[in-house]
């Protein structure tokens, strides 16, 4: 509901300015990000601007403040995309299975890792296959190291449960008793 004095709140002022300068802000973003990201950046920047309206100290500098919000949002989106692309490159460059040990007789863990949640499979690949530290995995995934630790714990649990359900064993140590060797269902 509008204020009785006719004055707009800061949030309303920012929203009005976003509408008034949409064409200029869109051109600014189009010059900085791939066309496929323009709408996402504009929407995210608008949300950030409206949520951060209280940080605008001088309403006379509205347009330069909006440019700053849009520039920072574009930078954040590009960084997130770069992290995601590096992760995809590292996962696609990874071998499908860890090097086979002479005593190992089955590929159950690798096969069953394909059946767990993709976020869990990613963290298992980074840490258990590629040997990334929690900090390195956190940077690649764009989450905190603590979150990586939690995700890794849940991923390992999900993998054990998947192996137990499918193969009847919970770990590589138990593969000698695994029915998949005879059935050949988890091979390569």
């Amino acid at each position: 509901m509008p204020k009785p004095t006719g004055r707009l709140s800061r949030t309303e002022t920012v929203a009005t300015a976003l509408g008034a300068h949409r064409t200029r802000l869109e051109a600014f973003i189009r010059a900085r990000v791939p066309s496929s990201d323009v709408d996402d950046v504009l929407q995210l920047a608008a949300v950030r601007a409206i949520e951060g309206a209280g940080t605008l100290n001088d309403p006379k500098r509205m347009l330069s403040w909006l440019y700053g919000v849009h520039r920072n949002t574009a930078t954040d989106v590009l960084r997130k995309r770069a992290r995601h692309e590096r992760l995809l490159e590292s996962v696609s460059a990874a071998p499908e299975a860890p090097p086979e040990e002479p005593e190992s007789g089955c590929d159950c863990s690798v096969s069953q890792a394909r059946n767990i949640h993709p976020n869990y499979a990613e963290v298992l690949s980074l840490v258990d296959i590629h040997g990334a530290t929690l900090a390195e995995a956190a940077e690649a995934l764009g989450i905190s190291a603590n979150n990586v630790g939690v995700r890794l714990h849940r991923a390992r649990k999900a993998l054990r449960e998947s192996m137990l359900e499918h193969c009847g064993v919970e770990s590589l140590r138990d593969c000698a008793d695994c029915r998949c060797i005879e059935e050949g269902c988890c091979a390569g």
Side-chain angles (χ1 to χ4, degrees):
M1 183 176 272
K3 295 185 180 213
T5 62
R7 291 177 41 129
L8 297 176
S9 71
R10 271 200 194 159
T11 303
E12 292 167 329
T13 303
V14 168
T16 301
L18 283 167
H21 299 293
R22 173 152 173 89
T23 304
R24 293 168 81 181
L25 294 168
E26 183 175 344
F28 178 76
I29 293 303
R30 283 196 184 284
R32 285 160 177 76
V33 300
S35 59
S36 61
D37 292 331
V38 170
D39 289 336
D40 292 339
V41 171
L42 288 171
Q43 183 176 5
L44 184 57
V47 169
R48 287 181 177 181
I50 290 170
E51 288 176 350
T55 65
L56 176 61
N57 296 325
D58 184 2
K60 294 175 188 170
R61 298 191 35 86
M62 173 71 73
L63 187 57
S64 63
W65 181 79
L66 286 173
Y67 276 121
V69 170
H70 281 71
R71 181 184 56 250
N72 293 341
T73 303
T75 300
D76 291 346
V77 166
L78 292 174
R79 283 182 182 154
K80 184 175 182 178
R81 176 180 287 247
R83 274 194 311 265
H84 182 71
E85 287 173 358
R86 283 193 309 269
L87 174 63
L88 288 177
E89 287 173 12
S90 71
V91 170
S92 66
E96 282 287 319
E100 192 172 317
E101 298 175 14
E103 289 86 22
S104 177
C106 77
D107 295 319
C108 297
S109 63
V110 174
S111 175
Q112 294 309 306
R114 294 181 188 122
N115 297 329
I116 64 175
H117 192 280
N119 288 343
Y120 292 168
E122 283 178 326
V123 76
L124 282 174
S125 174
L126 286 170
V127 176
D128 289 349
I129 294 177
H130 297 311
T133 65
L134 293 183
E136 292 167 339
E139 183 178 337
L141 295 171
I143 59 177
S144 71
N146 286 340
N147 195 340
V148 170
V150 169
R151 194 176 287 182
L152 183 61
H153 172 76
R154 291 177 180 168
R156 288 174 177 160
K157 180 180 178 189
L159 180 59
R160 280 192 306 272
E161 289 171 357
S162 180
M163 286 179 62
L164 184 60
E165 181 180 322
H166 179 80
C167 312
V169 299
E170 290 185 46
S171 71
L172 293 176
R173 290 186 304 270
D174 300 331
C175 278
D177 299 325
C178 179
R179 66 178 174 255
C180 296
I181 296 172
E182 295 163 4
E183 295 176 11
C185 58
C186 289

